[in-house]
Each structure stands twice: as C-alpha cells, then as structure tokens.
Amino acid sequence: MSAEPWDQLPVYRRIEYELKRYIARHKLKRHDRLPSESQLAAEYGASIGTVRKALNDLEAEKVIYRRHGQGTFVAPRSRRSRILLVSDQEHIYDVLHLDFMNFFLGLLSHANFANLAYEPQIVELEDFLANLEDVSMVYPESAGVIFFRGYSNVLRPAADVLLARDMPFMYYGGNLYPEINSLCSTVCHDEEAIAEMIADYYVKRGFRKAAGIVNSNLITQERSRRFASALARRNMEYREFSEKEELSPIARDFPVFNCFVDFLAVKIIQRLERDCGIRVPDQVAVSGVDNQVFGNWLRPPLTTIDLCHRANGALVMQTFCDFLDGSRRRPFHLDAKLSLLPRESC
C-alpha cells in the first residue's frame, strides 16, 4: 500500500487491520488470548478509547470476543488472512479454464484441511490490475498473491508495484521463462519432463515419427521445440505443422499427432473424423497436454499429460504459507506434479 492512503485511514481502522495480521502471523487459534487494551494502546501509540473502538468493530465482525474481567480472545470463526489468486484469463469461469478452478479447489481444500492461517481468494484480473497501486487497501486482509500463469502479461507488469509495496507473490505455471526465478518463488511444470514423458510413450507404442500441431499460442510453440529435441534423442522423425494446414496429407505420412494443449487436440480429432473421414485411433493417433475434463469425455478419450492442478494447488498453498510465515527463509522453486494418462486415442 502506498503511504498516503494508509496515513489517511483512521487510527482505529489501522489497528483493526494490524490485529487481523497479528492473529494470522502468530497462527492464533480460537479462544487464544490477545494483548490487553492497555498493551495495544502502548503498542500502537493510541488512546484506550481508540483501541476500544477498533475492538468493538472486530467483535461485530466476529473476529474476536471479550469476557469482562478476563480479556479479549480470538473468536471461534475468526477471519483468516487472504492469499489473492489471479489468473491470466479475463473470464476465469469459462469452461476452457476448469484447470484454474481445479487449482483453486486444491488451494482451498488444503487451507481448510491443514487449518492454515491463510485462505485463497479469487480476484478478477481486470479488478486486480485496476487496483494494483492500492492492493493492500482494496484487499485489506491480503498477505500475498499467487499468479496462475500469465507471466508476461500479468505478473511481469505487476511485479515492480508489488515489490515496492512489500507484497509477497509467487508464480504457478510452465517453466517457460528462465528469468522468473530471480523475481519470485515458483512452482512450475517442467516442460522438458512433459516432452520426455510423451516421447517415451511414443517409443513404447512403437511410433517412429510424429507430427506436432501448433497454433498462435506461445505454449504450443515452446512445447513443440522441446518435443522435437526429445524425439531427436530417440532417433525419431518429427515435423511441426500449423493447425490451419490440411490434415489428410499429414495423416498419410505420420501415425500420430501430438497437440500440445487439450483443446487443440479436440479440434484436431473433430477435423480428422468429420472433415477428413479419418478415424481416431484406428487410422491415426492423437495426444494432448492438460487433462481438461472434456479430454476424458471424448470418444475415444484423449491420451494426455495431466498437469495435476488440484494436487499442485495443495502444494502451492502449503509452500507459500510456509514462506509467508517464515518457515521457508528464501524464495523457493519447486517442480509441479505431472502424470501421463494413456487413453484410447493414442
């Protein structure tokens, strides 16, 4: 938060905010005792009356409760500090972004199961960027920010502002940006490992060459480059094609299509079967990456790399909370979980 808006807040509001952070930072449990009114007045350089006003507000919010002659205590349902979750997508509830919702559910369920001092809060991209200069005031209980992908168009523009305001943040997504490790903590999918897993599976299936289908999305192009290297190490032939190219000639020369995101694989399967009359997997095989829900709804279901967003959500939540609480002293860089799901399409 910039100095001016914070200074403009009434003192009792600042005390409310600091007490919420105190509860989260010290991992106080329900019924734990808080400092006395006189201690708080001395701590914050405020009058007893100002402290009481702040405590009255917190009691009304059910953050605390008071017992005459005994003191002030953490309420059984006290609020926890928030970790803001920001996606690179403008409309996070789009069906194509169920991966985001699975990740959020992993964050939330682990926060509740492990009784963490923080809980995740989804923040719309437009709202977050519009209020970036005053993020701590707009989201007064926020302790940090998790970016779901969006390094170049979301995190990088926001990083300098968050650093200036001493707001911790981290990134979850593909390890496509080497410079990110010097900027913040990360939990990343190893794109080299994704390429190796698919290449090994192709060898196991007996394929000797493969076509890669890319579109304008940076991630398909980057994954194609890594996949080409993985196949070359196995002495397999590889050629990259645009999704806009005619598929029938490709299918005559290549036994398998590797599509580097699931929604592209779905489009390719539809075009092969509907437009070209080519049956999957009888005449040509197809695979993808992401394990979107509709990949399993396909007939045949799509062979894919599962990015395990829900399990990784739990990992991100725990490690970032450890970092905020000081259990992890330095920024961390962890590999996210991955899993190959061999299905009938390949």
Side-chain angles (χ1 to χ4, degrees):
M1 183 185 301
S2 59
E4 183 177 353
W6 175 258
D7 290 341
Q8 291 175 354
L9 287 176
V11 174
Y12 74 90
R13 288 290 305 279
R14 288 187 240 167
I15 295 174
E16 291 174 29
Y17 174 73
E18 291 295 343
L19 280 175
K20 290 176 182 177
R21 287 183 60 86
Y22 178 89
I23 292 170
R25 187 169 59 250
H26 292 275
K27 298 183 180 180
L28 298 186
K29 299 180 176 60
R30 56 184 183 178
H31 309 304
D32 281 351
R33 186 191 299 271
L34 290 168
S36 67
E37 291 180 355
S38 58
Q39 288 173 317
L40 292 173
E43 172 71 20
Y44 298 115
S47 67
I48 293 293
T50 299
V51 169
R52 285 177 180 167
K53 182 170 178 54
L55 294 177
N56 287 340
D57 287 349
L58 292 176
E59 189 171 28
E61 289 185 50
K62 301 188 184 303
V63 174
I64 63 167
Y65 68 93
R66 290 182 280 186
R67 291 286 182 266
H68 183 69
Q70 298 180 31
T72 304
F73 304 87
V74 178
R77 298 184 60 83
S78 63
R79 292 185 177 182
R80 294 181 286 183
S81 290
R82 313 288 179 150
I83 293 176
L84 307 181
L85 175 58
V86 182
S87 170
D88 64 331
Q89 299 296 330
E90 183 178 355
H91 304 293
I92 58 177
Y93 296 104
D94 191 303
V95 69
L96 291 180
H97 306 299
L98 288 172
D99 50 350
F100 174 83
M101 297 310 299
N102 282 334
F103 180 72
F104 172 70
L105 290 174
L107 295 174
L108 183 62
S109 61
H110 185 73
N112 292 333
F113 176 79
N115 194 28
L116 300 178
Y118 308 89
E119 61 185 1
Q121 174 184 338
I122 296 175
V123 178
E124 290 282 1
L125 173 59
E126 182 179 3
D127 185 66
F128 176 77
L129 294 179
N131 294 289
L132 187 58
E133 292 290 336
D134 298 308
V135 62
S136 297
M137 176 173 284
V138 177
Y139 311 104
E141 298 172 2
S142 55
V145 183
I146 295 171
F147 290 94
F148 183 86
R149 300 173 178 160
Y151 170 69
S152 57
N153 66 328
V154 181
L155 187 154
R156 183 60 267 184
D160 290 341
V161 178
L162 295 177
L163 287 169
R165 281 147 184 76
D166 199 27
M167 175 67 74
F169 58 95
M170 68 165 294
Y171 169 84
Y172 169 77
N175 61 340
L176 300 171
Y177 315 98
E179 68 276 14
I180 198 173
N181 284 356
S182 63
L183 187 64
C184 63
S185 295
T186 62
V187 173
C188 288
H189 300 106
D190 186 344
E191 297 292 340
E192 301 288 346
I194 290 174
E196 294 289 326
M197 291 170 74
I198 300 173
D200 282 342
Y201 182 65
Y202 283 2
V203 170
K204 181 180 178 181
R205 291 296 311 275
F207 298 128
R208 298 308 308 158
K209 58 182 182 178
I213 308 298
V214 301
N215 56 17
S216 59
N217 190 324
L218 170 65
I219 199 166
T220 67
Q221 299 166 24
E222 288 294 321
R223 284 177 176 166
S224 177
R225 184 173 62 82
R226 289 165 172 78
F227 186 58
S229 298
L231 291 189
R233 287 191 290 272
R234 292 160 176 80
N235 297 315
M236 293 179 62
E237 181 181 345
Y238 175 72
R239 185 175 170 189
E240 179 182 292
F241 298 90
S242 166
E243 68 166 324
K244 298 180 180 179
E245 294 187 45
E246 173 59 43
L247 299 181
S248 294
I250 303 174
R252 285 196 295 268
D253 292 334
F254 292 88
V256 58
F257 286 68
N258 189 16
C259 305
F260 299 97
V261 287
D262 277 4
F263 74 85
L264 179 56
V266 172
K267 290 169 62 177
I268 294 301
I269 290 175
Q270 289 177 331
R271 286 178 55 196
L272 285 167
E273 297 193 332
R274 181 189 60 209
D275 302 337
C276 306
I278 297 173
R279 291 177 298 178
V280 178
D282 299 342
Q283 295 171 270
V284 67
V286 177
S287 64
V289 176
D290 271 3
N291 191 29
Q292 296 281 1
V293 172
F294 46 73
N296 200 28
W297 291 344
L298 284 175
R299 290 296 175 264
L302 181 67
T303 292
T304 188
I305 299 293
D306 184 0
L307 300 186
C308 305
H309 291 300
R310 186 156 185 166
N312 287 320
L315 172 64
V316 166
M317 191 68 188
Q318 184 63 62
T319 51
F320 194 43
C321 288
D322 290 344
F323 179 73
L324 294 176
D325 290 337
S327 301
R328 288 178 175 268
R329 300 292 182 182
R330 299 177 180 177
F332 55 89
H333 308 289
L334 305 176
D335 287 337
K337 182 179 179 181
L338 296 168
S339 178
L340 173 70
L341 299 178
R343 294 173 175 149
E344 297 172 23
S345 67
C346 187

